[in-house]
């Protein structure tokens, strides 16, 4: 059974700081890994999707890496801004199970 | 091009009642999956529909049932609502079985 863990559960940083969010998964037989952003009371916004054959993806100030062999992914946010404050979720997709398994998220607060 | 559309956006029901949530997939997508997200937790997989049949199911009781229509839209039905069913219900659609595009969700409150 796939399990996804995100550490830390919460993070508070001053504006402008670079930060790393961590995601680990127990079964390396994944199809892809996706990072989402969720604002309070809202749905999921997809940030980055990394296919199992890829090592990283970048979008603007965001960079996500994937190490399947160790069951780890990181989301790097450069020059954080107050608008980055949200909960960040990672999810791994298993083709055999036909579903995504999510972590419980890291809640990020960026202070002005 | 419309993405995944869910309705209603918010819903309040009384314990013991039944509820139906609806999902219209993104154009070109034929597979719909449903997830439940309780407060402070990540989404949990409920089930998946493809070709009008339930293909995969998570660890949810039979009170949770669904349907997929010929136009690929889907419904999630929950019977005998419990307070613990209060959550954000997310629908994801995809072309065949792969990670999907998520809708904005339906917020269900059971009182």
């Amino acid at each position: 059974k796939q399990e996804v863990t995100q550490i830390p559960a919460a993070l508070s940083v001053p504006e402008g700081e670079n930060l790393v969010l961590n995601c680990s998964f127990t079964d390396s037989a994944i199809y892809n890994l996706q990072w989402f952003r969720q604002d309070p009371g809202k749905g999921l916004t997809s940030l980055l999707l990394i296919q199992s054959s890829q090592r990283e993806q970048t979008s603007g100030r965001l960079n996500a890496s994937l190490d399947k062999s160790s069951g780890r992914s990181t989301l790097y946010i450069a020059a954080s801004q107050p608008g980055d404050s949200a909960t960040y979720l990672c999810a791994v997709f298993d083709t055999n199970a036909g579903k995504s398994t999510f972590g419980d998220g890291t809640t990020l607060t960026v202070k002005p | 091009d419309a993405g995944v559309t869910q309705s209603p956006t918010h819903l309040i029901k009384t314990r013991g009642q039944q509820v139906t949530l609806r999902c219209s997939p993104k154009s070109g997508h034929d597979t719909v999956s449903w997830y439940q997200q309780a407060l402070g937790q990540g989404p949990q997989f409920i089930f998946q529909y493809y070709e009008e049949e339930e293909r995969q199911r998570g660890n949810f009781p039979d009170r949770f049932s669904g349907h997929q229509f010929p136009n690929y839209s889907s419904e999630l039905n929950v019977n005998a609502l419990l307070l613990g069913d209060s959550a954000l219900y997310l629908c994801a659609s995809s072309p065949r079985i792969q990670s999907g595009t998520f809708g904005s969700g339906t917020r269900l409150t059971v009182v």
Side-chain angles (χ1 to χ4, degrees):
Chain A
K1 176 187 172 186
Q2 179 73 268
E3 293 182 2
V4 179
T5 303
Q6 292 188 245
I7 295 174
L11 182 63
S12 181
V13 301
E15 182 177 3
E17 192 163 296
N18 302 325
L19 58 102
V20 174
L21 306 181
N22 297 293
C23 172
S24 62
F25 47 95
T26 54
D27 186 346
S28 62
I30 63 171
Y31 183 73
N32 61 41
L33 183 145
Q34 199 163 2
W35 282 93
F36 294 88
R37 169 185 172 138
Q38 187 171 36
D39 293 296
K42 303 295 185 181
L44 305 179
T45 300
S46 178
L47 298 173
L48 291 166
L49 184 148
I50 311 175
Q51 299 293 349
S52 61
S53 58
Q54 298 176 320
R55 297 283 293 188
E56 66 177 335
Q57 282 286 343
T58 298
S59 176
R61 295 183 294 108
L62 306 179
N63 175 275
S65 68
L66 173 63
D67 184 343
K68 271 185 56 177
S69 61
S70 66
R72 296 178 185 274
S73 176
T74 60
L75 177 66
Y76 175 82
I77 302 177
S80 58
Q81 304 171 357
D84 295 331
S85 298
T87 296
Y88 291 82
L89 295 153
C90 75
V92 296
F93 186 79
D94 179 344
T95 303
N96 291 331
K99 68 175 186 177
S100 289
T101 301
F102 285 79
D104 286 336
T106 293
T107 298
L108 173 66
T109 302
V110 181
K111 298 180 177 179
Chain B
D1 177 29
V4 180
T5 304
Q6 292 188 242
S7 63
T9 55
H10 295 84
L11 202 53
I12 300 175
K13 288 287 189 178
T14 302
R15 189 172 45 183
Q17 285 188 315
Q18 179 264 344
V19 68
T20 297
L21 311 182
R22 295 176 175 83
C23 173
S24 293
K26 184 177 179 179
S27 178
H29 289 185
D30 57 8
T31 302
V32 173
S33 301
W34 288 91
Y35 293 78
Q36 179 198 65
Q37 186 179 23
L39 194 63
Q41 297 181 16
Q44 299 290 319
F45 176 76
I46 303 175
F47 45 52
Q48 178 185 80
Y49 278 84
Y50 170 67
E51 292 187 334
E52 302 180 49
E53 290 189 13
E54 183 182 295
R55 299 292 178 169
Q56 302 280 357
R57 189 178 182 93
N59 188 26
F60 279 81
D62 291 345
R63 297 187 298 108
F64 289 77
S65 63
H67 187 77
Q68 185 179 35
F69 299 93
N71 67 353
Y72 308 124
S73 66
S74 176
E75 290 182 348
L76 164 65
N77 301 293
V78 187
N79 295 321
L81 284 166
L82 304 174
L83 297 179
D85 295 331
S86 295
L88 179 68
Y89 289 84
L90 295 162
C91 167
S93 74
S94 62
R96 295 302 302 274
I97 298 174
Q98 56 182 285
S99 55
T101 301
F102 282 81
S104 298
T106 294
R107 172 73 63 185
L108 172 64
T109 302
V110 182
V111 298

